[in-house]
């Protein structure tokens, strides 16, 4: 099934069920008012949402209305946790190669991950506002999962069973702020502003055969200012699958329902497929010519990120954002 959160003036919005083709929606009132409520009692509430979803797809929902992504918040407007991995080692290898740095051997056995801010997540059409273009504004096209409760010490296989929903993410980065932060030896903070998410969260079964081994075997399309810049395959080159990423957190603690875990920038070794973030494009330019020529984003720039299923339908809806100056 497909779920979204409509803006209603509150912090957590109103849960709606969305049709498979994203044309219709229906309020989940009477079943669950918010997505977190459904996640907290998933085994009881999910079947009821599924029934409404089936009725909606069958054209028999009496109070259905046209779905409008511009009215959406993030599916989880604020989450108990947002932990983002860097599961595509090609991205790490390329960025380090551009600065003549080797990839430590441990990176191939132990996932990279940072703890992001989860108290204020952006909707798919919300403007991304920043105080300065000099901060190095960059998009990052990613896949993310939403978990149920996953116990401390869970194996990757057990962790996969705890995945409730899949989402599309734009993990904004401020590249020129990051080096000084990392030099402090304490990780990201200001270099990682609010992350945006696609309008619709979907259950793994919606992907059919494209959901295999904890990976999404579909193409992530990115358009910057209307120009196609990336068509990267999310499945084959994901070094650590989502079960491994969730289990990485579970090594020392429980993961609770409503946690979001990201894949990191989707990246392919075949450079002809383009890029899912500008930093990777700049790294390619540095490797090829010795210098980066592509600039980061400016106020007024737009980014569109979307994934289509094997049936040609949009899976999560599109992230369509504009970069704007902070008032």
């Amino acid at each position: 099934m497909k779920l979204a959160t409509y803006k209603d003036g509150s912090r957590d919005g109103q849960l709606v069920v969305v049709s498979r083709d994203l044309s219709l929606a229906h309020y989940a009132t009477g079943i669950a008012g918010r997505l977190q409520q459904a996640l907290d009692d998933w085994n009881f509430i999910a079947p009821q949402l599924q029934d409404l979803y089936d009725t909606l797809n069958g054209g028999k929902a009496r109070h259905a209305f046209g779905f409008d992504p511009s009215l959406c918040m993030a599916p989880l407007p604020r989450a108990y946790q947002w932990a983002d991995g860097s599961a595509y080692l090609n991205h790490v290898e390329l960025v380090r190669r551009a600065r003549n740095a080797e990839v430590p051997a441990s990176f191939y056995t132990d996932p990279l991950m940072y703890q992001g801010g989860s108290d204020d997540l952006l909707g798919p059409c919300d403007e991304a506002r920043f105080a300065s273009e000099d901060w190095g504004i960059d998009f990052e096209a990613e896949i993310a999962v939403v978990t149920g409760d996953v116990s401390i010490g869970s194996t990757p296989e057990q962790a996969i069973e705890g995945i409730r929903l899949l989402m599309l993410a734009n993990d904004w980065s401020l590249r020129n702020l990051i080096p000084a932060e990392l030099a402090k030896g304490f990780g990201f903070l200001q270099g990682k502003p609010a992350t945006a998410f696609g309008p619709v969260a979907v259950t793994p079964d919606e992907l059919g055969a494209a959901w295999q081994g904890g990976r999404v075997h579909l193409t992530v399309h990115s358009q910057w200012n209307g120009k196609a810049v990336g068509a990267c395959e999310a499945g084959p080159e994901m070094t650590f699958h989502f079960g491994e990423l969730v289990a990485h957190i579970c090594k020392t603690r429980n993961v609770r329902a409503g946690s979001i875990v990201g894949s990191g920038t989707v990246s392919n070794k075949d450079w002809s497929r383009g890029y899912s973030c500008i930093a990777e494009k700049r790294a390619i330019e540095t490797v090829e010519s010795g210098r980066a020529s592509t600039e980061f984003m400016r106020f007024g720039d737009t980014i569109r990120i979307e994934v289509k299923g094997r049936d040609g339908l949009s899976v999560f809806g599109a992230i369509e954002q504009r970069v704007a100056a902070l008032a």
Side-chain angles (χ1 to χ4, degrees):
M1 62 184 159
K2 298 190 175 186
L3 305 171
T5 296
Y6 257 32
K7 297 176 180 179
D8 67 354
S10 71
R11 287 188 175 92
D12 298 304
Q14 178 67 47
L15 180 64
V16 298
V17 177
V18 184
S19 63
R20 182 171 287 111
D21 64 1
L22 306 184
S23 65
L24 296 173
H26 194 292
Y27 284 109
T29 309
I31 302 174
R34 297 173 290 106
L35 181 53
Q36 184 61 51
Q37 181 184 349
L39 292 164
D40 286 339
D41 198 6
W42 187 255
N43 290 338
F44 177 70
I45 292 178
Q48 299 176 62
L49 294 172
Q50 181 68 49
D51 287 344
L52 178 54
Y53 180 65
D54 293 339
T55 302
L56 186 61
N57 286 319
K60 298 180 180 180
R62 293 179 57 193
H63 301 292
F65 52 88
F67 178 61
D68 185 353
S70 70
L71 299 179
C72 288
M73 306 173 79
L76 267 179
R78 50 179 178 169
Y80 285 116
Q81 177 169 217
W82 160 233
D84 196 20
S86 187
Y88 296 87
L89 264 294
N90 177 68
H91 174 76
V92 179
E93 292 168 346
L94 185 56
V95 171
R96 284 183 167 253
R97 181 180 170 189
R99 63 173 191 259
N100 296 315
E102 292 186 0
V103 178
S106 64
F107 282 24
Y108 294 92
T109 58
D110 194 35
L112 286 170
M113 188 171 286
Y114 82 91
Q115 193 87 48
S118 62
D119 57 327
D120 180 32
L121 302 175
L122 299 178
C125 302
D126 291 345
E127 285 189 332
R129 294 183 172 273
F130 308 105
S132 174
E133 293 177 336
D134 296 335
W135 286 351
I137 303 165
D138 196 359
F139 68 91
E140 287 192 53
E142 305 187 7
I143 305 292
V145 299
V146 183
T147 75
D149 289 332
V150 186
S151 298
I152 184 173
S154 291
T155 66
E157 293 71 28
Q158 291 169 330
I160 288 179
E161 296 302 313
I163 292 171
R164 299 287 181 255
L165 298 164
L166 300 163
M167 299 191 297
L168 184 64
N170 180 13
D171 180 39
W172 288 102
S173 290
L174 301 174
R175 300 296 183 185
N176 294 338
L177 298 185
I178 288 174
E181 286 195 311
L182 295 182
K184 295 179 179 179
F186 222 49
F188 298 117
L189 184 68
Q190 293 173 338
K192 285 292 187 179
T195 302
F197 291 90
V200 173
V202 309
T203 49
D205 62 285
E206 284 293 318
L207 275 63
W211 175 248
Q212 293 182 20
R215 297 175 175 88
V216 175
H217 291 266
L218 294 172
T219 307
V220 179
H221 296 273
S222 301
Q223 294 182 354
W224 178 11
N225 290 335
K227 178 184 177 181
V229 295
C232 298
E233 296 298 329
E237 296 180 54
M238 188 179 187
T239 308
F240 301 102
H241 63 68
F242 278 111
E244 291 172 309
L245 295 179
V246 175
H248 179 73
I249 308 174
C250 291
K251 181 177 180 178
T252 60
R253 50 181 160 150
N254 294 311
V255 171
R256 291 308 187 192
S259 293
I260 305 174
V261 182
S263 67
T265 304
V266 177
S267 179
N268 296 157
K269 292 184 182 297
D270 181 1
W271 294 353
S272 69
R273 303 202 67 87
Y275 53 92
S276 297
C277 72
I278 301 169
E280 188 161 303
K281 172 63 172 175
R282 289 169 58 86
I284 292 171
E285 292 168 344
T286 301
V287 170
E288 289 183 330
S289 66
R291 62 181 295 273
S293 57
T294 300
E295 295 185 351
F296 291 114
M297 300 180 80
R298 300 292 184 185
F299 297 149
D301 280 8
T302 61
I303 181 65
R304 188 179 198 277
I305 304 169
E306 188 174 25
V307 173
K308 290 188 177 181
R310 296 177 181 178
D311 57 4
L313 296 176
S314 182
V315 178
F316 310 101
I319 294 173
E320 297 187 83
Q321 291 186 276
R322 177 179 174 271
V323 176
L326 185 67

